[in-house]
Amino acid sequence: MTTPYDAGLVVLQGAAVWTAFAGQRTAGGMLAVATALTFSARLQAIVSTGSHTSTDRWFLGMGDGDDTTLMNVFLSSGVVVLLAFVTAVVLLAGMRSWPPLNAAPGTPPLRPAGPAGAVSAVALGVFTLGCLCWIGYTLTQSLGGTYGAPLEALLLGRGLLVGLLGLGTGWAWLTYLPLYAVGALLAATRRVSARGFTLGLALMLLPVALLNMCAYLRTGTLFELGDIAPGAALLGRAQTVVELVGSVVILALMGRRGEPVLPGMPGTPGPVGAPGFGAFGMPGPGAPVPGGYQAAPPPPGYAGHPAPGGYQAPGGHPAPGGYPPPQGGFGPPPTG
């Protein structure tokens, strides 16, 4: 049995693979988010499926621990965790700064526009605050109450999981919280990686929030908090609404074309009337070029530059103004 988390993970992984093969610069951030979430989810699956037995049950409604399904999930999750670790190493090794050193810069990458960065940072900040509220509420009600819950139940969902690939509540917090915080920081500073990173988080959250909202509407419990844990129910509904609206806003803003990191670079449109740049975006004669490059000065005698004194034309011919006076007749002057 799968969960809405798995549906969001499939959407995110598919988008990351597509952008990577399409050569989009947003692929780096999406792959980073997909790798982190995949590693976390399958690591939880290894712990839960590997620990479930007939006497120590981690999943609701499942009996003996020698089920072949448990073994298949355990082995496949181990393979996925290994692949995710290799992918993380490759991503870290492939990080490059722009412009490249000792090489001509190409097309500059795009960073988020001002409104997109600010709104996305606020949305991810609200997500982060929601995770912190969940942590504080649960720790207060469970660990500090009369009926304290075991740490394994809070963190890994021992005895509470409803799906073989399900996540414990605390494990989900520990996974999402740093990603939300990093995404908010990248969006606020308008870094190049912010577009792919925040788009990856939004693609993950949108299916999860949408499926949860559909479940609330289908069962008619969206506005019913119940009598057992009304505070937790209120936080759950509020988080679902915020994640649904926030993910749509992030996708709409970050999906738009951003702004070049260094406007006015060669081959890219710069601001109108920028000094030292021509009508086609190329540097003019002698104008400095960003990145440490310098345009070569024009040769003498071109574009209104007079030839310096003593300049000799090719082939040994003297420059104009240095010819000897003309001689009369058709030959040398008479002798004597």
Side-chain angles (χ1 to χ4, degrees):
M1 179 178 179
T2 58
T3 62
Y5 186 92
D6 298 295
L9 196 59
V10 169
V11 173
L12 172 59
Q13 291 171 345
V17 171
W18 182 82
T19 53
F21 280 105
Q24 301 292 327
R25 279 199 169 104
T26 55
M30 286 189 183
L31 287 172
V33 175
T35 300
L37 293 176
T38 303
F39 182 85
S40 176
R42 296 306 175 256
L43 186 61
Q44 158 83 80
I46 290 176
V47 174
S48 56
T49 56
S51 303
H52 181 88
T53 61
S54 58
T55 57
D56 185 15
R57 299 187 178 184
W58 285 60
F59 303 97
L60 294 175
M62 183 166 290
D64 296 339
D66 57 351
D67 193 344
T68 55
T69 304
L70 284 174
M71 182 59 64
N72 293 334
V73 174
F74 178 81
L75 294 178
S76 61
S77 297
V79 175
V80 173
V81 166
L82 180 61
L83 292 177
F85 178 78
V86 174
T87 304
V89 174
V90 173
L91 288 175
L92 292 175
M95 294 178 62
R96 297 290 185 271
S97 60
W98 192 92
L101 298 176
N102 302 324
T107 304
L110 301 176
R111 65 175 183 172
V119 174
S120 299
V122 171
L124 291 171
V126 174
F127 297 166
T128 305
L129 182 61
C131 284
L132 293 176
C133 291
W134 264 110
I135 293 174
Y137 176 83
T138 305
L139 292 180
T140 302
Q141 296 295 321
S142 300
L143 297 181
T146 305
Y147 303 98
L151 184 60
E152 289 183 347
L154 285 176
L155 182 61
L156 299 175
R158 178 184 179 184
L160 302 175
L161 297 177
V162 296
L164 295 179
L165 300 178
L167 288 180
T169 306
W171 193 259
W173 294 333
L174 295 178
T175 301
Y176 277 117
L177 184 60
L179 293 178
Y180 288 159
V182 171
L185 180 61
L186 293 176
T189 55
R190 300 173 62 194
R191 302 295 296 271
V192 174
S193 57
R195 297 181 67 237
F197 200 92
T198 54
L199 285 174
L201 289 175
L203 287 174
M204 174 68 194
L205 290 176
L206 182 58
V208 176
L210 185 60
L211 290 176
N212 289 334
M213 180 62 69
C214 291
Y216 288 139
L217 295 176
R218 185 180 67 253
T219 57
T221 57
L222 179 60
F223 301 102
E224 296 181 4
L225 302 181
D227 299 329
I228 300 177
L234 179 61
L235 283 176
R237 271 67 166 179
Q239 186 177 18
T240 299
V241 173
V242 169
E243 289 179 351
L244 181 60
V245 176
S247 58
V248 172
V249 171
I250 291 175
L251 287 174
L253 293 177
M254 287 296 187
R256 302 173 61 184
R257 182 178 176 84
E259 300 175 353
V261 176
L262 294 177
M265 291 296 294
T268 61
V272 178
F277 287 84
F280 298 98
M282 298 301 293
V289 180
Y293 296 91
Q294 183 70 27
Y302 288 86
H305 294 271
Y311 173 79
Q312 295 292 326
H317 298 283
Y323 291 99
Q327 300 178 358
F330 295 91
T335 59

